[in-house]
Amino acid sequence: MDPEELELQNDYRYRSYAAVIEKALRNFESSSEWADLISSLGKLNKALQTNLRYSLLPKRLIIGKRLAQCLHPALPSGVHLKALETYEVIFKIIGTKWLAKDLFIYSSGLFPLLAHAAMAVKPVLLTLYERYYLPLQKALLPSLQAFITGLLPGLEEGLEVYDRYIA
């Protein structure tokens, strides 16, 4: 555990924030169809935004796992878009320092998405990459191969976002 994380465990406000997030994550356990997942993601977004003063998220491994599950190819694009919205909320909260440290947690769901994403999802995903991944620069090196492999399906000519993928 990171020393900063250990220090936060002693803060009662952080522990209560962790409890709110844990409660939101429990909603995923009872989700039986895709509409339930959208509702669960909405509750998670709300829980994440209850205390914006902490850049270190509690339960981030479970959050990353749930988000990756919401990007499953069999789910409709509405679930994918809501999950990408949650990623955006998380990336705004954690900043580049924690994104660089926890890159593996969030990338496991995002990198494979482009290959099966609907047309409405592709520009949103690309915006996430442009806004949050590219500014990492050297911190992106450990996952650069996976990042590039995840971008390759976007290089289909004729796509409206083709030029953005090339750039």
Side-chain angles (χ1 to χ4, degrees):
M1 220 183 251
D2 194 271
E4 191 175 334
E5 193 170 1
L6 286 173
E7 184 180 315
L8 284 173
Q9 294 298 331
N10 297 327
D11 183 354
Y12 74 93
R13 288 178 295 247
Y14 184 78
R15 286 194 311 265
S16 97
Y17 179 50
V20 169
I21 287 179
E22 196 168 337
K23 181 180 178 192
L25 287 169
R26 272 191 241 116
N27 289 311
F28 286 93
E29 295 170 13
S30 60
S31 297
S32 59
E33 55 186 56
W34 63 265
D36 297 336
L37 289 174
I38 291 176
S39 172
S40 296
L41 286 166
K43 290 174 183 173
L44 179 60
N45 283 351
K46 199 175 201 179
L48 288 167
Q49 294 173 340
T50 58
N51 202 334
L52 298 175
R53 63 188 282 217
Y54 300 112
S55 61
L56 179 60
L57 293 182
K59 307 288 183 192
R60 57 192 186 280
L61 196 58
I62 297 170
I63 291 171
K65 190 186 302 185
R66 291 298 185 198
L67 288 174
Q69 289 171 339
C70 289
L71 296 178
H72 189 277
L75 292 170
S77 62
V79 177
H80 294 169
L81 288 169
K82 193 66 175 179
L84 291 176
E85 181 184 315
T86 306
Y87 276 107
E88 174 111 30
V89 167
I90 289 170
F91 295 164
K92 282 180 184 173
I93 292 170
I94 66 175
T96 54
K97 173 190 170 192
W98 284 106
L99 178 56
K101 287 184 177 186
D102 294 338
L103 200 57
F104 69 96
I105 294 174
Y106 304 109
S107 300
S108 64
L110 287 175
F111 290 167
L113 177 61
L114 191 60
H116 59 266
M119 290 305 290
V121 174
K122 290 180 181 185
V124 177
L125 178 61
L126 186 56
T127 301
L128 271 181
Y129 287 158
E130 290 170 337
R131 238 181 245 160
Y132 300 103
Y133 275 73
L134 293 181
L136 293 176
Q137 297 178 352
K138 288 187 179 189
L140 186 59
L141 282 176
S143 62
L144 188 59
Q145 184 178 3
F147 180 68
I148 291 171
T149 304
L151 284 176
L152 287 176
L155 295 178
E156 284 180 48
E157 286 199 43
L159 285 181
E160 59 193 48
V161 289
Y162 176 77
D163 293 333
R164 286 176 66 195
Y165 281 105
I166 293 296

